[in-house]
Amino acid sequence: MGNELGKPPERSGNGDGARGRAVTRTGFVLRAVLVLTLAAMIAFGGGFLWFTVRILAERPPPIYETDAIVVLTGGARRIDEALLLLAEGAGERLLISGVNPSTTPESIRKTTDGDIQLFECCVDVGYEALDTYGNAVETRKWIEEHGYRRVLVVTSAYHLPRGLFELRHIDPDTVFVGYPVPLGEGDKPWYDNLRYVKVLGSEYLKFIGAHVRAATGLWVLRPAEQEE
């Protein structure tokens, strides 16, 4: 007899092969996920480094040649800088955008020790904006009312990239010139102050979010308070 009695039949190798292919596919997927995650982390870290260097390199423009000034509220020094620029003739009129509804122009003047005549003739206070997108909407309306073509934008250095992006996206016909208010005071480096590091990280995420919203047009990313 060709086959010995009691000898078990030989098993096919198809099962082992299938398991091997499954393991190979799983390994490939895991490696792909790892590579993509690593690439995303490198891109995010590199982008944050670029963002930080850009902020630290920001300097006031040597020549303004602007028709008007807008200051995006949110920092204590921003309004002071804007009023000084207005007094120096950097623009014929100033918009303080995003002021708390409970804050009056007179209280702003007293807080900044501003000139009464300058406030009465040349300072407008905007109460509509709740965020940077709202600042852009409010500023565009103000520009259309006065017919300005070139506007100086005063805000904190870390906020300037996003502020300019929102303004230029919503009003591409106007030339916006950035005027950065320094990130901090004193001789202490920014990276030794944990608060500034947190501010930069938070602002970087908001900066990315503004670009994603502008590129995709996703309504969910648009602040509900600023719907038109």
Side-chain angles (χ1 to χ4, degrees), residues 90 133 139:
Y133 179 86
T139 301

Side-chain angles (χ1 to χ4, degrees), residues 1 56 60 85 96 225:
M1 304 289 289
L56 296 177
L85 289 165
I96 304 176
E225 296 85 353

